Amino acid sequence: MAINNPFAAYQQTSVYTAAPEELTLMLYNGCLRFIKLAKQAMKQKNPEAKNENIVKAQNIIQELSLTLNREIEISEQMSSIYDYIRRRLIEANVQNNEGFLDEAEKLVTDFRDTWKQAMQTERKNNHGTGGLA
């Protein structure tokens, strides 16, 4: 199937050519985007858009949890936090509670920022540069 939208083609190529650590960063950013969209939909009293975006955020959290390397000790702790985030997203959806979305957003932001810092440290150690594109 050909993609006629140049931006969509660029996005698709970005995903297909990204390194695994960059894909994880993209997932965190996508999750944050969907949480923000859900909050907007909640304020606009649009339950369909709210639900759609919360479900997308939940799916990303589920994917992040499923892809944890269980041989690494910290993975169990991360899995527990991912489960907590997923439950907060569900509660936000059912109870129409923006505070729960705020809490999930903060936790995902912390994960994203820590991941980004780890990527920068790894790149600096391996390549002598710490910048991210």
Side-chain angles (χ1 to χ4, degrees), residues 34-53:
F34 293 130
I35 290 171
K36 285 181 186 357
L37 291 171
K39 286 166 59 171
Q40 286 177 342
M42 198 177 278
K43 288 176 183 165
Q44 296 168 349
K45 301 195 184 322
N46 184 341
E48 293 84 13
K50 175 197 74 167
N51 180 63
E52 179 181 326
N53 286 296

Side-chain angles (χ1 to χ4, degrees), residues 31-77:
C31 185
L32 291 169
R33 183 169 54 92
F34 293 130
I35 290 171
K36 285 181 186 357
L37 291 171
K39 286 166 59 171
Q40 286 177 342
M42 198 177 278
K43 288 176 183 165
Q44 296 168 349
K45 301 195 184 322
N46 184 341
E48 293 84 13
K50 175 197 74 167
N51 180 63
E52 179 181 326
N53 286 296
I54 288 176
V55 168
K56 287 178 180 180
Q58 285 174 245
N59 290 340
I60 290 172
I61 294 300
Q62 183 69 23
E63 181 65 23
L64 288 165
S65 182
L66 290 172
T67 59
L68 286 171
N69 181 348
R70 302 298 174 159
E71 294 176 11
I72 299 173
E73 186 177 328
I74 196 169
S75 293
E76 288 308 314
Q77 295 166 330

